[in-house]
Amino acid sequence: MIISVLCLIDMVLLMRPNPDVTAVLRTMICGGALYYVVKRFRQPNITMFLFLAVAVLYNPIFRIHMDQVWWLVSDVVTLALFYFLAKVTPIHETGIKHYAEDDEAGK
């Protein structure tokens, strides 16, 4: 979900670009996509390849230059991909503790 918020911020910054903030956001988006690719490397599927494409598109080293409209489209698609990933990933696979589980275990 955090990466989805970063995509939203990147879309807003397209209206008033700030190169430093945009570079940091795109680096974080690339890192999030690479994290998913590395995590799912042993079980490749179409989602892994989509996130690999996102990582290549947002990579900070070899930057891809596109028109502002295409960046907006790629931001929306990336936002949808990360949102979908956040919805279908079970909480126990994320490494985040759910507070309800702690309350039930304490009883």
Side-chain angles (χ1 to χ4, degrees):
M1 290 298 272
I2 294 172
I3 304 294
S4 299
V5 172
L6 293 176
C7 291
L8 280 174
I9 294 170
D10 192 32
M11 285 190 299
V12 170
L13 286 176
L14 282 174
M15 305 308 162
R16 297 181 60 160
N18 182 341
D20 297 331
V21 176
T22 303
V24 169
L25 287 173
R26 292 190 177 164
T27 301
M28 293 173 75
I29 293 168
C30 178
L34 284 176
Y35 174 76
Y36 179 79
V37 169
V38 168
K39 191 173 180 180
R40 298 290 179 188
F41 187 72
R42 301 259 185 225
Q43 306 164 359
N45 57 13
I46 188 69
T47 311
M48 186 191 83
F49 290 110
L50 288 172
F51 277 99
L52 185 61
V54 168
V56 168
L57 182 65
Y58 286 92
N59 79 73
I61 298 169
F62 301 107
R63 295 173 38 177
I64 296 176
H65 298 281
M66 295 189 298
D67 192 29
Q68 187 175 10
V69 173
W70 290 110
W71 274 117
L72 186 61
V73 170
S74 68
D75 286 339
V76 170
V77 171
T78 304
L79 171 75
L81 279 172
F82 277 107
Y83 184 77
F84 170 75
L85 177 67
K87 284 299 194 183
V88 299
T89 303
I91 192 81
H92 67 275
E93 287 186 15
T94 62
I96 300 171
K97 280 192 158 186
H98 194 267
Y99 292 113
E101 293 172 359
D102 290 341
D103 293 341
E104 291 175 9
K107 291 181 181 179

